[in-house]
Amino acid sequence: MIARLFHAEVGENENAIGAGTVGSVCWEKFARYFEVELREVEVREGYYVMDPAKAVELVDENTICVAAILGSTYNGEFEDVKLLNDLLLEKNKQTGWDTPIHVDAASGGFIAPFLYPELEWDFRLPLVKSINIVSGHKYVMN
Ligand SMILES: *Cc1c(COP(=O)(O)O)cnc(C)c1O
């Protein structure tokens, strides 16, 4: 149901794959345990989400993925996944790299499909390869 809600290309007799995870400090842990360099786009006063242009500037030939947040922890604002996708498509085209996007939709993944069905942030975008959703405890489930 969730894969279809997020427009994954899942055939009638196919199943989507997912796994359970917890913890918003997972990126730091992942980077430390797997010896991956974490590059972060700093927010600035009056602009509290990731600037897609700055994120794409940080991408190099070793980049595993760029992560965007749908529903900022600071203020709930959605990062511009579509713009990130378009800028990164252009960079991939210029460089021959194949850098994908992960979307952390922990708080926005159950809001966006219903309030903003036209907003392209999910598997409709070609570079979005994975999405983590949706914190049950934020929706009174556990
Ligand atoms: C809440 C949240 C998380 C962590 O999810 P949990 O279900 O609490 O582990 C990760 N990312 C964002 C953007 C969140 O809002």
Side-chain angles (χ1 to χ4, degrees), residues 18-29:
T21 61
V22 287
S24 31
V25 295
C26 67
W27 292 107
E28 280 90 359
K29 278 189 199 158

Side-chain angles (χ1 to χ4, degrees), residues 21-24 69-73 104-107 132 134-138:
T21 61
V22 287
S24 31
I69 300 174
L70 202 78
S72 159
T73 315
D104 178 348
S107 62
N132 71 278
V134 162
S135 301
H137 64 93
K138 292 177 184 163

Side-chain angles (χ1 to χ4, degrees), residues 35-102:
E35 298 181 6
V36 169
E37 179 191 346
L38 190 66
R39 295 180 178 175
E40 294 175 283
V41 176
E42 301 295 326
V43 296
R44 59 180 186 270
E45 199 175 326
Y47 192 88
Y48 302 106
V49 289
M50 175 252 293
D51 179 338
K54 289 190 174 167
V56 171
E57 275 173 27
L58 295 175
V59 170
D60 68 18
E61 70 276 14
N62 295 316
T63 302
I64 299 169
C65 78
V66 179
I69 300 174
L70 202 78
S72 159
T73 315
Y74 299 141
N75 61 7
E77 189 175 348
F78 294 172
E79 293 183 340
D80 193 339
V81 188
K82 172 91 169 87
L83 179 59
L84 176 65
N85 178 84
D86 294 349
L87 295 174
L88 202 50
L89 269 178
E90 189 56 39
K91 183 154 189 170
N92 284 346
K93 205 169 98 189
Q94 285 169 3
T95 57
W97 302 336
D98 192 20
T99 308
I101 296 171
H102 171 84

